[in-house]
Amino acid sequence: MDQYVVFGNPIGHSKSPLIHRLFADQTGQQLEYNTLLAPLDDFSMCAQGFFKQGLGANVTVPFKEEAYRLVDSLTPRAKRAGAVNTLSKLADGSLQGDNTDGAGLVRDLTVNAGVQLSGKRILLLGAGGAVRGVLEPLLAQNPASLVIANRTVEKAEQLAREFADLGPVAASGFSWLQEPVDLIINATSASLAGELPPIAASLIEPGKTVCYDMMYGKEPTPFCRWASEHQAAKVLDGLGMLAEQAAEAFFIWRGVRPDTGPVLDELRRQLARG
């Protein structure tokens, strides 16, 4: 049986085995997908050991940058992202690194939620790895503008410079922004701490602005609650992005794209049950 895993530390909470099991059942693919707790100080040895037999792996926190350094080749989008979340063993035995996070986000927004990105004003909150991973696919949608806002403005400015060749990208501090935008994407980890990025409510145009949190939980995140309170047109969490980035990885490995709809429904049911 073809072997796949997700590397992480911690990893017990991962939904990836369930997602890929459902994808395999749906598409008739024969494979096994498990979690693999990689040691914090020896990810590369762990990964090399797995790939003696295994064919592919997903990579989550905190190993995406290490995976980037480990591989023999990178896809263009992984090179741009500076991080790898999908590993594939090629026919010659070499390891290729890809990054499906941005593709997952864009597909969740455009296909699942029906959000048009072309010509829109996009605000990205945060300047860490999550933002770096989604900038290229977002800019490929030809937005009117994309602003990266961060507490440390220098980090946002660095990203804006790196991606300036791909489209109209600019940097900002959180408090500088007042004018409404079409889409706000929260890529900070504030929701994990039960907090909100310090942004003005005036950024939401009631009934028009879409708000998206890359985090998700059983209950709406603080950012999603804030967006609902200020009458955002749509309020979305990151569960769809999780399913879509997994579907992109599955497609890379197996050459077939699963239908994420029923899988997302099952994930929501399981989340609700806690």
Side-chain angles (χ1 to χ4, degrees):
M1 187 84 76
D2 293 346
Q3 298 288 321
Y4 297 86
V5 295
V6 55
F7 293 107
N9 190 329
I11 198 59
H13 65 287
S14 176
K15 305 262 189 298
S16 293
L18 169 65
I19 293 171
H20 285 278
R21 195 156 56 245
L22 292 170
F23 286 167
D25 290 347
Q26 182 195 108
T27 58
Q29 295 285 308
Q30 299 296 307
L31 60 90
E32 268 185 35
Y33 188 112
N34 297 293
T35 57
L36 210 165
L37 181 70
L40 291 171
D41 58 353
D42 210 352
F43 166 74
S44 61
M45 187 69 80
C46 183
Q48 285 161 351
F50 167 75
F51 276 106
K52 285 176 180 162
Q53 282 86 38
L55 292 184
N58 290 124
V59 184
T60 187
V61 177
F63 299 120
K64 291 183 184 184
E65 283 78 19
E66 282 189 68
Y68 180 89
R69 294 191 292 272
L70 170 74
V71 295
D72 303 299
S73 61
L74 291 160
T75 63
R77 62 188 178 184
K79 196 172 289 186
R80 269 288 186 176
V84 159
N85 78 337
T86 302
L87 297 167
S88 305
K89 185 159 76 173
L90 304 183
D92 63 1
S94 68
L95 269 190
Q96 183 171 70
D98 204 340
N99 191 310
T100 65
D101 285 333
L105 170 67
V106 167
R107 193 171 171 87
D108 190 34
L109 279 165
T110 57
V111 178
N112 298 342
V115 176
Q116 165 85 18
L117 299 178
S118 174
K120 301 300 184 188
R121 298 159 298 173
I122 299 175
L123 172 60
L124 256 177
L125 306 178
V131 167
R132 176 180 281 279
V134 302
L135 274 170
E136 182 185 35
L138 283 172
L139 288 165
Q141 296 292 308
N142 299 311
S145 62
L146 191 154
V147 175
I148 305 164
N150 196 51
R151 203 179 297 274
T152 311
V153 181
E154 291 77 17
K155 276 185 157 183
E157 287 172 340
Q158 175 63 35
L159 280 179
R161 279 194 297 273
E162 281 185 48
F163 287 84
D165 60 312
L166 299 181
V169 56
S172 173
F174 286 133
S175 62
W176 305 1
L177 302 160
Q178 304 293 330
E179 295 294 311
V181 293
D182 300 305
L183 170 64
I184 306 172
I185 301 171
N186 181 25
T188 73
S189 56
S191 289
L192 294 178
E195 295 167 2
L196 261 179
I199 55 172
S202 58
L203 289 163
I204 294 179
E205 187 172 338
K208 186 172 179 201
T209 302
V210 174
C211 290
Y212 191 105
D213 196 341
M214 286 190 187
M215 302 295 160
Y216 63 89
K218 183 178 179 180
E219 303 296 330
T221 66
F223 177 80
C224 287
R225 283 201 305 275
W226 171 83
S228 296
E229 284 162 12
H230 292 95
Q231 283 102 46
K234 284 184 179 173
V235 179
L236 306 161
D237 69 14
L239 197 63
M241 178 180 172
L242 176 72
E244 292 297 343
Q245 63 81 25
E248 182 80 3
F250 193 92
F251 176 71
I252 291 164
W253 296 328
R254 311 300 293 188
V256 57
R257 185 177 290 283
D259 177 7
T260 54
V263 175
L264 253 175
D265 290 343
E266 178 58 27
L267 289 172
R268 292 261 177 234
R269 274 196 294 275
Q270 295 215 5
L271 257 189
R273 286 202 300 267

